[in-house]
Amino acid sequence: MTTATTAPEAPASVGQVAGGNALAGTRTLIRFALRRDRIRLPVWVLALLLGTLMTANSFSTLYSDPQDRANAARSMGSPAGLAMSGPRHYLDDYGFGSMLSHQMLGFMAVLVGLMSVLIITRHTRAEEETGRAELVRSTVVGRHAHLAAALSVAVLANLALALLLAFGLAGLGMEGIDTAGSLLYGFGHAAVGLVFAAVAAVTVQLTAHTRGASGMALAVVGVAYVLRAAGDSGENGALSWLSPIGWVQRSYPYVDNRWRPLLLCLALAVACAAAGFALSTRRDVGAGLRPEKLGRPTASDALTTPLGFALRLHRGMLIGFGSGLFLMGAMYGSILGDAEDMLKDIDQIQEALDRIGGAGVAESFASMVMVVLTVVAAVYVVMAALRPRSEETAGRAEPLLATGLSRARWVGGHLAVAMGGGTVVLLLAGLGFGIAGAASTGDAGLLPDLVGAALAYAPALWVTVGVAVVLFGWFPRASQAAWIVPVYAFVVGYLGQILQFPTWMNNLSPFGHVPRLPAADMDWTPLLLLSLVAAGLVWLGLAGFRRRDLETK
């Protein structure tokens, strides 16, 4: 069964385009983009808002005593602690407000950057890649209308987040979190979000592929975070001034309330957006500025198989996540040797580590960090498992399945890459964590222990893939609900340990049944059961896909 998506109604003024109005139709495209993202954007904004409010509210419980906050400040003052959080200046008066800015601004900037990048690529490069932009632009729509509309939607989303954060935090009534600081805190998120949206406006001009444009823009986000971390852990913090994340952190909400660093963000955003508009005039619709490499005259034998073809489609994302998780693991491993000194004075963290158990603080802290690494790996497997859905809606699955290729083999190729690739990504995360952890603690035995601890989560990743397949097979329009699994795993598995959520909540997540290595002893029974559950879910999802019609948009 084939359904069509109604294109936005174009303005009726042909003379506008004829007269050279490159922005004709922008207002209509903005309304159409907001209509398409009527669920996606509110979920993003509310998730970021609630995560911030929950964290801020938890500080009043975790650090209610001034001595607890002073102990936390001493713990965060090491180079490793500053690299994970932010500039040392926040530690001079470590109240609830400065604690929130210090620990959350850098982390939230990455998430806001991710949201902004995806908005731009979804409403520009993805439209060109599917051919919809060419169809729309054949009507009375200006050349720059798509990019202008995408940037406008990114601005609206970031401003909405900024205002909600400002009024939400000010409404908590917590000591040290006032209205002026909350306004700066909220608009700091908007400023850094606009920078990365404008960066994406440039990357979408460089390549003809959505994933490539997103990957390049997200690489810039990663570089900005690394520069910020390197600068904050150094002596003079000079490298942090090369990063927009560092600029936002140096606005010092709730401490000095400096608005001037946000002007740097706005200036960079305007410059990158202008560059994006200028570059768009130097290429054809659907093409990129970077020339395509000439391929082989004949396809390799691997591309003639479902698995080989799926691996070719996923290889860029697999390499990106593998490299990123290796570096992320190495970053966490580098502070493993300082974990005991960093956390010894924070009673709530110590209680969480004691509940985990283990021979020492390093092992317990490592098992806690492993949840974070695994959740990032779960993001990869959800994206990989939902790739068949995007192939289906883009109309690329139909020609393949019209041949002798069965539905089970086609989906099976993508699932094999999702499950196998997820395991490889876990292995790389464990390797990075283990190599750096062994170096920072001087304990070479941590390397095999941490690699094994990472691989123990593979069956939970397979269950996550199974959930995505069931949704794809039986409820394709609800397939995005698969994202609930990694989000819930992070909230309950990581934050729940600190906030002492009840045990039954952790048991609802497949990750909650994995032994907390290296602090706990190995138990094969839950891993075998999770593997059987994953196999059953995959079988159920494939059965549903065989029974339903294809949907193309």
Side-chain angles (χ1 to χ4, degrees), residues 372-457:
V372 180
L373 298 176
T374 306
V375 168
V376 178
V379 171
Y380 162 77
V381 299
V382 170
M383 293 177 67
L386 294 181
R387 181 63 186 264
R389 176 60 179 167
S390 63
E391 295 292 302
E392 178 187 4
T393 56
R396 293 187 290 266
E398 213 167 9
L400 289 175
L401 297 177
T403 65
L405 179 63
S406 69
R407 292 190 176 199
R409 291 184 64 209
W410 175 67
V411 176
H414 289 280
L415 297 185
V417 175
M419 291 181 164
T423 306
V424 170
V425 164
L426 279 179
L427 173 63
L428 292 171
L431 277 174
F433 198 16
I435 292 171
S440 65
T441 60
D443 182 4
L446 273 180
L447 175 57
D449 290 345
L450 292 178
V451 171
L455 291 176
Y457 280 93

Side-chain angles (χ1 to χ4, degrees), residues 30 129 190 303 311 317 409 430 536:
I30 292 172
E129 192 173 7
L303 287 179
L311 185 59
M317 185 170 65
R409 291 184 64 209

Side-chain angles (χ1 to χ4, degrees), residues 143-466:
R143 181 180 187 91
H144 296 318
H146 273 101
L147 182 56
L151 287 170
S152 299
V153 172
V155 170
L156 291 174
N158 281 284
L159 287 179
L161 175 63
L163 292 173
L164 288 172
L165 283 173
F167 291 113
L169 289 171
L172 291 177
M174 294 176 59
E175 178 186 354
I177 299 183
D178 55 12
T179 302
S182 297
L183 283 170
L184 178 57
Y185 184 87
F187 280 94
H189 288 68
V192 76
L194 293 182
V195 169
F196 293 125
V199 168
V202 174
T203 62
V204 295
Q205 315 303 331
L206 303 180
T207 176
H209 305 287
T210 305
R211 292 177 183 270
S214 299
M216 285 189 285
L218 294 178
V220 174
V221 177
V223 170
Y225 186 85
V226 170
L227 287 173
R228 192 283 311 160
D232 290 341
S233 61
E235 292 295 330
N236 55 17
L239 286 176
S240 296
W241 286 102
L242 300 178
S243 166
I245 299 178
W247 300 343
V248 170
Q249 286 190 320
R250 276 158 178 74
S251 63
Y252 296 117
Y254 306 113
V255 179
D256 296 334
N257 289 343
R258 302 175 184 173
W259 286 86
R260 289 184 179 179
L262 301 192
L263 298 178
L264 293 174
C265 292
L266 294 180
L268 180 58
V270 170
C272 288
F277 283 112
L279 292 174
S280 69
T281 63
R282 299 177 178 272
R283 64 176 183 85
D284 294 329
V285 178
L289 291 173
R290 191 174 63 180
E292 295 285 345
K293 294 182 179 179
L294 294 177
R296 296 172 54 181
T298 58
S300 64
D301 293 338
L303 287 179
T304 63
T305 65
L307 177 59
F309 186 61
L311 185 59
R312 178 65 175 271
L313 293 176
H314 290 261
R315 67 178 181 182
M317 185 170 65
L318 179 58
I319 292 172
F321 268 90
S323 303
L325 269 173
F326 180 84
L327 294 175
M328 188 175 179
M331 183 174 64
Y332 277 116
S334 66
I335 67 172
L336 202 55
D338 299 328
E340 186 169 359
D341 293 334
M342 288 175 57
L343 305 175
K344 64 181 180 181
D345 295 325
I346 306 178
D347 294 337
Q348 289 75 13
I349 301 295
Q350 283 292 334
E351 291 175 5
L353 295 178
D354 290 341
R355 287 193 297 272
I356 294 173
V361 174
E363 289 80 6
S364 300
F365 180 68
S367 65
M368 201 177 201
V369 168
M370 201 62 71
V371 175
V372 180
L373 298 176
T374 306
V375 168
V376 178
V379 171
Y380 162 77
V381 299
V382 170
M383 293 177 67
L386 294 181
R387 181 63 186 264
R389 176 60 179 167
S390 63
E391 295 292 302
E392 178 187 4
T393 56
R396 293 187 290 266
E398 213 167 9
L400 289 175
L401 297 177
T403 65
L405 179 63
S406 69
R407 292 190 176 199
R409 291 184 64 209
W410 175 67
V411 176
H414 289 280
L415 297 185
V417 175
M419 291 181 164
T423 306
V424 170
V425 164
L426 279 179
L427 173 63
L428 292 171
L431 277 174
F433 198 16
I435 292 171
S440 65
T441 60
D443 182 4
L446 273 180
L447 175 57
D449 290 345
L450 292 178
V451 171
L455 291 176
Y457 280 93
L461 286 187
W462 301 341
V463 172
T464 306
V465 173

